[in-house]
Amino acid sequence: MSLIIGLGVVLVLAILYLIFRIGNLVELVKGKKDDVSSWNTANAYLLMLFMIVSLVSFVWYSVVHFDSYNLPVASEHGALTDYLFWITMAVTVVAFVIITIAMFWFTFKYRYQEGRKASFVSDDHRLEIIWTVIPAIVLALLIFSGLRAWNDITGPASKDAVVIELIGQQFLWTARYPGVKDSQLGKHNYKMIDASNEFGLDLSDKNTFDDFKSLELHLPKGKEVQLMIRAKDVLHSVFLPHFRVKMDAAPGMHTTFKFIPTKSTADMREETGNPNFNYEMACTEICGRGHFSMRFPVFVHDTVEDYEKWMASQEAWLKQNPEYLQRVPPALREAAMIKAGIPADSEAAIMASPVTVTAKFK
Amino acid sequence: MATLDIHPQTTTHHDDHGHDHEHHGNFWTNYVFSEDHKVIAKQFLITGMAWALIGGILSVLFRLQLGFPEANLSWLRPILGGWLTPEGKIDPEFYLALVTMHGTIMVFFVLTAGLSGTFSNFLIPLQIGARDMASGFMNMLSYWFFFASSVIMFTSLFISTGPASGGWVIYPPLSALPQAMQGSGLGMTLWLVAMALFIVSSLLGGINYITTVINLRTKGMSFTKLPLTIWAFFFTAIIGVLSFPVLFAAALLLIFDRSFGTSFYLSDIYIGGEALPNQGGSPILFQHLFWFLGHPEVYIVLLPALGITSEIIATNSRKPIFGYKAMVGSMLFIAILSFVVWAHHMFVTGMNPFLGSIFTLLTLIIAVPSAVKIFNYVTTLWKGNIRFTAAMLFSIGLVSFFLTGGITGIFLGNSAIDIQLHDTYFVVAIFTW
């Protein structure tokens, strides 16, 4: 059956080709002067059809999928960059539509016609100056507004900003919070990293004692957050799509990004009508075979008080890994136990316990 | 039609005897190790088309996985074998390898060597009235370095640990550390060797094109009468000669980091349960060096196409190109600017934000000469008498494409907007354009 259909198709194509050939031969016999293909006019109409179909479908999908252009925005600077995005979109769409229509209309209107001669137009300085100056002015405005936003976004964070460290590694993220006692991130050194001390905390610095680890990024709503970003092994990139935040994580350096979340997780659940909504952070720099799975849950608290309550409920890293007290210089040990919240009477037992983790110096 | 006298200088014919003898050489000197620019152009064309086919197939493979993430691709097992997971998905690491090789092949082997190699070689001597390229021997070397590079790159597709997989931009430390992913082992080594040969080929070609255009123009072919195609090839060659050595340097330093324990790009790395001794390097340095080639590369790919389009549109509209001087000027301006915009690929890498501002400014300025070119193409069509030949249809398509790609660049070049769009499919889309 399919053989017959196939043969039929071939036959029809062959007939169409013959008709086309005959048409050409007839033209030749009639003594056509030019070597222009008889398909020339058809091509002009097809180009016109192409333009109309493309522009209509462009408008159609833009309207239908308007909400999918950008995710709902949940940060202060994000509203600004979205605004810039849409301004740029408006300018470029106008330019795109005008130029596209002009170009396709010219190709249609000035398609080959027998006997007509093309006009000799090779230069028009006035016209050229106009279309150099207009884009230059429009671009200057875009550059100006873009740079103002950029300077605000990349400017220094305020003194009372919440500081959180994000660490990327193959293939997971971890967050380190400064702890409620000193609100300062302690020093770290990559040579001190081992299986338990995954931050490479330098325990001779007293600011490390109350630092704690989190496998979820918790943020306060309405307060400035300063992310300190680093990587352990290869490049990673912090991407918080709803907050319009992106910054690479590179080993050997700290990158930063500051922003103010404006919608808590609860707000967003209400806005999207999805009770299971959760913010998410992703990695956007190829980092190896597990790159696609490198996600990190994000939770935004409704108020700063809620956030602080959550902070206070977390256990210091040192309390979770008390054997590391042995690494703390003896003079600081008491302060460390107080800051980390380790009961004072357990010191002797901890110091006597065998060292479970050995540092790997290479 | 009157017969054209193709040997107007009959008196000097005897001087060309040596040249004529070459045509009586054997198969090897005529078609394989030929110094004739037309044969070399065809060699580039055929190799480039083979690469386009390979690069296209790779992209079909990873798009199958991307477009139908739930599908069972076990039917590909006869081709991919162990690169499929038991559930019939493409192995994540091989997926990255496919993306990497697709990018490398398309950008370098098809659009740089395939495009410039073919058309510059074929058209420069013909359009400026020269007998051949300035150095036929260098031209032949250029192809054979490209061929050697192709063989090595192609071989790397079949090694057991897979080809390079760190993205076509091969950012270290991922590309520098074999323990970071399989593809950063032998695959990456082969990639670097192949690219080193490729750069040699590209430089040999570029120097030849520049020399030929400057020195071998026929009598009366002044620079102001040079066809726009040749202007485009000329600028392309200059951009290539100035930027490829920087990639060569970047690759060389990467080889040192990989094999000789240096720390140009590596610092403070803890991987595979051990802390590496490297300290003081910067992964951002590599990105600066890479994009110093990487951005001009965009114009190495684009300018030849624009040059050819200029003449196809003019010819098929039966009109001279509108604003010849503006066309040359805008290409010159684009060529110069292409060297000072590279860091717009790095807005969110932690680079100093002030640099980001400068690069935003310079990047968006490129839109002005690009807009001038588009307006000039459209005006060339105006009041023409247009023949829709296949070349003409492609050229109209190119102008439309250039418009779409160009205006999306205005989004990405603006650093504040780029924060959201960087490393997303928005960028993949503009690149693929």
Side-chain angles (χ1 to χ4, degrees):
Chain A
M1 186 62 197
S2 55
L3 186 72
I4 296 171
I5 295 175
L7 279 176
V9 170
V10 169
L11 202 65
V12 169
L13 285 177
I15 291 170
L16 283 176
Y17 176 71
L18 281 177
I19 292 174
F20 174 71
R21 285 294 297 160
I22 291 168
N24 274 1
L25 287 173
V26 168
E27 271 168 16
L28 212 63
V29 173
K30 275 185 185 165
K32 207 159 165 295
K33 269 180 280 164
D34 264 316
D35 56 344
V36 175
S37 152
S38 54
W39 280 81
N40 207 66
T41 310
N43 266 325
Y45 278 95
L46 284 173
L47 275 172
M48 212 54 198
L49 183 74
F50 174 77
M51 181 196 81
I52 291 167
V53 170
S54 306
L55 282 182
V56 167
S57 45
F58 163 66
V59 171
W60 172 76
Y61 75 65
S62 300
V63 170
V64 171
H65 295 289
F66 187 77
D67 290 336
S68 340
Y69 267 91
N70 283 317
L71 291 169
V73 61
S75 72
E76 220 159 72
H77 78 273
L80 182 63
T81 57
D82 275 15
Y83 173 74
L84 285 173
F85 177 87
W86 286 113
I87 292 280
T88 313
M89 184 66 95
V91 170
T92 50
V93 164
V94 169
F96 173 75
V97 170
I98 290 176
I99 296 172
T100 302
I101 291 179
M103 186 175 81
F104 281 95
W105 175 245
F106 290 165
T107 53
F108 177 73
K109 179 145 188 249
Y110 300 110
R111 65 186 182 276
Y112 167 79
Q113 271 153 6
E114 219 181 311
R116 192 160 60 79
K117 243 187 127 184
S119 311
F120 185 87
V121 189
S122 76
D123 241 338
D124 187 337
H125 289 299
R126 207 169 46 111
L127 212 56
E128 280 175 283
I129 287 170
I130 290 174
W131 67 45
T132 310
V133 169
I134 290 180
I137 292 173
V138 174
L139 282 166
L141 293 175
L142 288 178
I143 292 171
F144 179 69
S145 53
L147 287 187
R148 254 187 18 180
W150 173 250
N151 286 338
D152 286 348
I153 295 166
T154 55
S158 62
K159 286 253 159 49
D160 63 337
V162 169
V163 177
I164 303 165
E165 189 182 51
L166 281 171
I167 299 115
Q169 71 183 76
Q170 289 180 327
F171 298 98
L172 57 96
W173 294 102
T174 36
R176 176 165 70 121
Y177 283 77
V180 281
K181 299 233 168 59
D182 56 19
S183 302
Q184 299 239 5
L185 286 168
K187 284 185 193 148
H188 61 85
N189 181 340
Y190 84 104
K191 291 206 166 166
M192 296 185 176
I193 297 176
D194 58 41
S196 311
N197 189 2
E198 48 191 300
F199 298 119
L201 292 180
D202 180 353
L203 290 164
S204 61
D205 177 17
K206 60 183 183 345
N207 287 332
T208 55
F209 300 154
D210 64 344
D211 289 0
F212 67 85
K213 167 188 164 181
S214 172
L215 288 174
E216 226 176 41
L217 180 61
H218 283 253
L219 303 168
K221 173 182 156 183
K223 191 153 193 256
E224 190 165 85
V225 176
Q226 163 95 325
L227 296 179
M228 306 285 288
I229 301 159
R230 66 180 159 113
K232 276 192 209 168
D233 35 36
V234 300
L235 295 181
H236 301 278
S237 185
V238 167
F239 183 30
L240 290 159
H242 294 88
F243 303 96
R244 312 295 192 250
V245 169
K246 188 174 292 138
M247 185 48 75
D248 282 5
M253 61 190 279
H254 256 128
T255 52
T256 62
F257 203 106
K258 68 162 203 317
F259 66 105
I260 305 175
T262 51
K263 288 174 192 164
S264 68
T265 300
D267 292 345
M268 210 54 158
R269 284 180 182 164
E270 204 172 310
E271 186 182 320
T272 56
N274 174 8
N276 300 319
F277 174 86
N278 270 315
Y279 290 117
E280 197 178 57
M281 184 173 113
C283 177
T284 51
E285 188 73 59
I286 290 186
C287 59
R289 73 174 289 127
H291 169 61
F292 67 97
S293 63
M294 201 168 149
R295 298 169 168 178
F296 198 54
V298 180
F299 185 86
V300 183
H301 292 271
D302 287 310
T303 59
V304 179
E305 290 74 47
D306 280 357
Y307 170 74
E308 278 163 0
K309 216 182 286 170
W310 173 81
M311 290 270 283
S313 72
Q314 298 298 303
E315 266 189 355
W317 178 85
L318 195 54
K319 190 179 180 187
Q320 289 173 334
N321 301 277
E323 65 275 19
Y324 278 81
L325 261 183
Q326 296 176 12
R327 297 273 182 76
V328 179
L332 292 172
R333 224 165 261 161
E334 204 181 326
M337 289 180 70
I338 296 171
K339 263 187 144 177
I342 303 172
D345 53 2
S346 56
E347 182 181 352
I350 292 165
M351 297 312 290
S353 70
V355 182
T356 49
V357 181
T358 47
K360 286 174 186 164
F361 287 94
K362 272 253 169 179
Chain B
M1 208 189 217
T3 322
L4 281 177
D5 182 9
I6 54 166
H7 290 293
Q9 298 166 309
T10 38
T11 48
T12 61
H13 198 225
H14 282 287
D15 302 339
D16 294 323
H17 242 65
H19 182 86
D20 279 355
H21 273 301
E22 280 175 35
H23 295 292
H24 307 303
N26 60 28
F27 171 81
W28 290 98
T29 53
N30 280 353
Y31 299 107
V32 183
F33 296 103
S34 168
E35 294 183 14
D36 177 26
H37 72 99
K38 292 202 266 325
V39 174
I40 294 171
K42 285 173 197 160
Q43 290 174 326
F44 268 109
L45 178 69
I46 292 166
T47 321
M49 286 194 339
W51 272 122
L53 193 69
I54 296 166
I57 291 171
L58 298 185
S59 105
V60 169
L61 286 177
F62 69 73
R63 266 152 217 271
L64 268 177
Q65 178 64 56
L66 182 68
F68 308 97
E70 307 298 330
N72 186 345
L73 301 176
S74 300
W75 53 274
L76 284 170
R77 204 170 291 279
I79 311 169
L80 294 181
W83 292 118
L84 284 175
T85 62
E87 302 84 52
K89 309 268 182 285
I90 289 179
D91 179 83
E93 208 152 311
F94 190 63
Y95 181 92
L96 295 178
L98 288 173
V99 175
T100 304
M101 294 309 280
H102 167 74
T104 307
I105 289 168
M106 287 305 188
V107 170
F108 294 113
F109 289 77
V110 179
L111 291 171
T112 303
L115 189 66
S116 279
T118 305
F119 289 103
S120 294
N121 272 322
F122 203 83
L123 295 178
I124 287 179
L126 294 183
Q127 287 207 331
I128 65 172
R131 283 203 172 274
D132 201 326
M133 291 300 234
S135 165
F137 181 68
M138 260 169 74
N139 210 9
M140 178 191 83
L141 277 187
S142 161
Y143 175 73
W144 286 104
F145 268 102
F146 171 57
F147 187 80
S149 158
S150 295
V151 169
I152 294 172
M153 195 61 96
F154 188 66
T155 313
S156 84
L157 287 169
F158 301 99
I159 58 180
S160 67
T161 48
S165 334
W168 78 278
V169 295
I170 55 156
Y171 282 173
L174 185 61
S175 60
L177 306 171
Q179 56 269 58
M181 70 194 305
Q182 277 189 46
S184 296
L186 182 60
M188 192 63 220
T189 306
L190 291 178
W191 193 98
L192 286 166
V193 171
M195 280 314 292
L197 292 174
F198 180 89
I199 292 167
V200 172
S201 147
S202 160
L203 291 179
L204 285 170
I207 292 168
N208 227 339
Y209 307 147
I210 295 170
T211 318
T212 309
V213 172
I214 292 177
N215 295 311
L216 297 185
R217 279 168 291 124
T218 192
K219 214 175 166 188
M221 176 63 85
S222 64
F223 266 108
T224 49
K225 287 181 187 156
L226 211 57
L228 282 172
T229 311
I230 303 305
W231 269 115
F233 293 158
F234 184 56
F235 286 133
T236 305
I238 292 175
I239 296 176
V241 166
L242 292 179
S243 65
F244 266 113
V246 179
L247 179 67
F248 193 79
L252 207 59
L253 298 186
L254 185 56
I255 290 172
F256 285 165
D257 271 10
R258 287 166 54 83
S259 310
F260 307 120
T262 56
S263 306
F264 291 108
Y265 308 130
L266 306 177
S267 184
D268 295 21
I269 290 167
Y270 178 87
I271 191 165
E274 61 168 303
L276 302 184
N278 309 68
Q279 266 181 305
S282 164
I284 309 291
L285 171 66
F286 178 84
Q287 300 179 17
H288 278 296
L289 293 175
F290 181 87
W291 287 114
F292 191 82
L293 159 93
H295 197 79
E297 173 67 29
V298 173
Y299 297 99
I300 292 175
V301 167
L302 177 65
L303 285 180
L306 288 180
I308 295 170
T309 296
S310 306
E311 280 186 68
I312 291 174
I313 287 187
T315 308
N316 287 293
S317 302
R318 296 296 190 265
K319 281 179 66 190
I321 188 84
F322 185 84
Y324 172 87
K325 278 181 190 152
M327 291 300 251
V328 176
S330 56
M331 278 198 285
L332 176 65
F333 198 44
I334 289 175
I336 293 170
L337 280 177
S338 73
F339 280 99
V340 288
V341 297
W342 77 88
H344 67 211
H345 298 271
M346 302 167 54
F347 286 142
V348 298
T349 54
M351 180 180 74
N352 186 331
F354 176 70
L355 274 180
S357 318
I358 302 293
F359 280 102
T360 299
L361 177 72
L362 292 166
T363 301
L364 291 193
I365 289 177
I366 281 202
V368 177
S370 308
V372 168
K373 286 193 82 76
I374 287 186
F375 290 135
N376 283 1
Y377 287 132
V378 174
T379 319
T380 304
L381 293 170
W382 182 64
K383 287 201 173 172
N385 203 17
I386 302 169
R387 270 101 167 141
F388 295 106
T389 57
M392 181 64 171
L393 291 172
F394 272 109
S395 297
I396 293 169
L398 181 117
V399 176
S400 176
F401 235 32
F402 181 42
L403 173 65
T404 319
I407 57 175
T408 41
I410 296 175
F411 291 80
L412 291 173
N414 201 334
S415 52
I417 303 175
D418 182 66
I419 294 171
Q420 176 71 356
L421 301 176
H422 191 81
D423 284 341
T424 64
Y425 273 94
F426 200 98
V427 182
V428 176
I430 187 178
F431 237 101
T432 306
W433 143 79

